[in-house]
Amino acid sequence: MIKFLDLEKVNNRFRDEIDSRIKTVLDKGWYLQGEENETFSKNFAKFCGTKFALGVANGLDALNLIIKGFGFGPGDEIIVPANTYIASILAISENGCTPVLVEPDINTYNINPDLIEEKITAKTKAIMVVHLYGQAVQMEKVWALAKKYNLKVIEDSAQAHGAIYQGKRAGNLSDASGFSFYPGKNLGCFGDGGAVTTNDEELYNKIKAIANYGSHKKYCNIYKGVNSRLDEIQAAILDVKLKHLDSDNEKRREIADYYLKNIKNDKIILRNTYEKLANVWHVFPVRTQKRDEFQEYLKQNDIQTLIHYPTPPHKQQAYKEWNNLSYPITEEIHNTIISLPISPVMTDDEVKRVVEVVNAYK
């Protein structure tokens, strides 16, 4: 079986160093807001090119905290792609804000910048872009609209660790960015974890307090905060893996390049990628009209796949008030998308086998 993602194999490459760092945490007996968190936060900020990074409990919290930090709430609108994982939209709803959905570009699957301006109203406070599947959004029009209407730009970079767009990394293309370190991410820990990156010192300090019960000083609470902290063990693991992220992403790009050049089947639609470094290929999505049949065919040929994502947010029960709305491009993507195996530990033979089987599909 060619696994979609062999996490055991991915992480075993760094087992000795990870074991050593975990032992250091255990020996210190300090598990939250300690040296490991400080070290990783500094290194991750440097990696992203931002002044600040803050480890938090997960990616959803990262986005939620950014919106709280800006002070957005009921009556405020935040523009967000209709084609995204539901967490992007949940963070907006959690703060009482109104998500305003914008269709994606059918070729890139990211938000279509040409459709944003028509959704801007007097209530709009921010544009949230999602670098979906690892490819950075083409940001020029987003930046221009933010400047024109005095809006904040928020990045959901949960799938784009290390993506480089116009010389800057994801996480440094906006006012603030949220990251997830879920185990399957390009940079993943051994449980849940996340981070906020920003160049705004005032915002950073506010979010840092909100994430710690609204407090900078124990028992002195200046905000109605939450508990969202990255623990020391996860920070230590992430700091080890961060050193290898660029090389792992390059391996993903090599596999994706081979797929793009060699998958030749008119039943399979490949994603448009416009700038090599802008895509870290968190997943390799393709589209096909008979997805269930295609997935079963691959399974019979010992190739594991996943669907990212089968049901769009506006068709979920959680947002039943939207169930009658129509976003045809988003729905087309969600009805036809399927992700092929891609990871830094795939062998050349496995990559070639995937291509052979895909090309033989009739």
Side-chain angles (χ1 to χ4, degrees), residues 115-171:
L115 301 180
I116 294 175
E117 188 166 18
E118 65 190 50
K119 296 296 183 76
I120 295 173
T121 72
K123 297 180 180 179
T124 307
K125 299 296 183 182
I127 302 169
M128 181 186 290
V129 297
V130 182
H131 306 308
L132 197 65
Y133 306 141
Q135 180 160 259
V137 172
Q138 293 171 292
M139 295 294 295
E140 290 92 339
K141 291 181 180 179
V142 177
W143 291 328
L145 289 171
K147 183 177 181 181
K148 180 178 178 180
Y149 293 99
N150 192 28
L151 305 176
K152 296 296 184 182
V153 178
I154 301 169
E155 289 172 88
D156 181 341
S157 302
Q159 301 182 7
H161 314 72
I164 299 172
Y165 182 74
Q166 294 191 359
K168 289 186 175 183
R169 292 195 192 263

Side-chain angles (χ1 to χ4, degrees), residues 158-312:
Q159 301 182 7
H161 314 72
I164 299 172
Y165 182 74
Q166 294 191 359
K168 289 186 175 183
R169 292 195 192 263
N172 192 25
L173 300 171
S174 62
D175 294 287
S177 177
F179 286 88
S180 166
F181 301 128
Y182 180 80
K185 304 298 187 184
N186 291 34
L187 179 62
C189 55
F190 288 6
D192 275 321
V196 173
T197 58
T198 185
N199 292 305
D200 184 333
E201 185 172 8
E202 182 179 352
L203 179 68
Y204 165 76
N205 286 327
K206 185 176 180 181
I207 290 174
K208 187 174 183 180
I210 293 173
N212 185 40
Y213 298 99
S215 172
H216 284 303
K217 181 180 178 182
K218 196 169 185 179
Y219 305 131
C220 182
N221 305 83
I222 55 178
Y223 304 107
K224 295 175 182 176
V226 298
N227 174 21
S228 183
R229 299 173 295 194
L230 183 68
D231 70 67
E232 288 287 279
I233 288 177
Q234 302 303 341
I237 292 166
L238 289 165
D239 199 53
V240 171
K241 296 180 71 176
L242 180 60
K243 302 171 190 174
H244 306 277
L245 181 55
D246 276 336
S247 59
D248 278 1
N249 283 343
E250 190 54 37
K251 176 64 175 178
R252 287 174 178 271
R253 291 188 184 104
E254 290 172 5
I255 295 169
D257 189 58
Y258 187 86
Y259 282 164
L260 290 170
K261 289 179 178 176
N262 292 281
I263 291 177
K264 300 183 185 302
N265 185 326
D266 59 10
K267 290 183 171 60
I268 306 301
I269 301 170
L270 302 175
R271 184 188 197 185
N272 180 31
T273 182
Y274 49 83
E275 190 175 317
K276 183 179 179 182
L277 294 180
N279 201 333
V280 292
W281 296 102
H282 171 57
V283 299
F284 189 92
V286 301
R287 289 191 294 118
T288 185
Q289 291 302 314
K290 296 183 178 179
R291 179 178 63 195
D292 292 346
E293 176 188 283
F294 180 59
Q295 186 172 41
E296 180 61 26
Y297 163 79
L298 292 175
K299 181 181 177 181
Q300 293 300 319
N301 281 276
D302 293 326
I303 296 173
Q304 188 180 49
T305 58
L306 291 178
I307 296 172
H308 298 89
Y309 302 94
T311 306

